[in-house]
Amino acid sequence: PVVVPARPASKPQTLNIDQEQLLFLRFNYARAQVGDILRKHTGKRLTATATRQLLAWGRRAQSARSEIVHRNIPLVLAMAKRTRLSGIDYNELISEGNMALLRSAEKFDCGRGYKFSTYSCRAILKSFSRVAMRASRYRGRFPVEFDPAIEKSDFVERRREEHDSNCVDELKAILVKNLAELNDVERTVIHERFAL
């Protein structure tokens, strides 16, 4: 027997326009089939056969979309490296770019004759600009970086001390004026218990 060594994980190869169009046609056809099955059974219970078909077409659509996104992830990385946005985390850019890539795959129309990368580049750049806008708004509201030492506040501790002090003062007033109508033994017990 001939043993074929496992191919190392490599960078995903880009698709030519025909391969890309075929992949999008498969993706859109599978999504259309899912939609047809759901429309046929609107308001009705799915049969076992319809459920199996729905799941099969759903897996095909998800598989095609995953391949589209996997083949175009280097585009997000390249654009994130080229983007010169100061003060923005590189990982946040990548995350937003990946989400834009996923949304682009859902909306792309391969019938217009353009490559998916042309379409998705604009969506990725727009997502990067949204990240920059969000970061600038955040910096406007919070001009310094997060510092736990600054954030630590003694507000709760002060409120607790104030509350304890108020309770002690109230208890003293009750004992002095004997508002609870306590006898001498009861007043002594409370006085000693709370070290008044």
Side-chain angles (χ1 to χ4, degrees), residues 136-147:
S136 69
R137 277 196 308 265
Y138 181 82
R139 275 194 299 272
R141 290 185 190 135
F142 308 103
V144 296
E145 289 294 319
F146 173 74
D147 184 6

Side-chain angles (χ1 to χ4, degrees), residues 13-67:
Q13 296 176 353
T14 56
L15 301 170
N16 65 33
I17 196 157
D18 293 332
Q19 292 170 326
E20 190 174 87
Q21 191 167 21
L22 181 63
L23 193 55
F24 269 102
L25 289 173
R26 279 185 17 218
F27 175 52
N28 290 333
Y29 184 73
R31 286 195 316 171
Q33 291 300 317
V34 166
D36 285 346
I37 292 169
L38 291 174
R39 267 190 300 281
K40 286 178 188 174
H41 292 85
T42 301
K44 295 186 274 183
R45 189 176 203 131
L46 283 171
T47 63
T49 305
T51 303
R52 280 193 293 278
Q53 289 175 347
L54 183 67
L55 291 173
W57 284 113
R59 279 192 297 269
R60 288 179 189 148
Q62 190 173 9
S63 172
R65 187 181 77 168
S66 294
E67 187 171 348

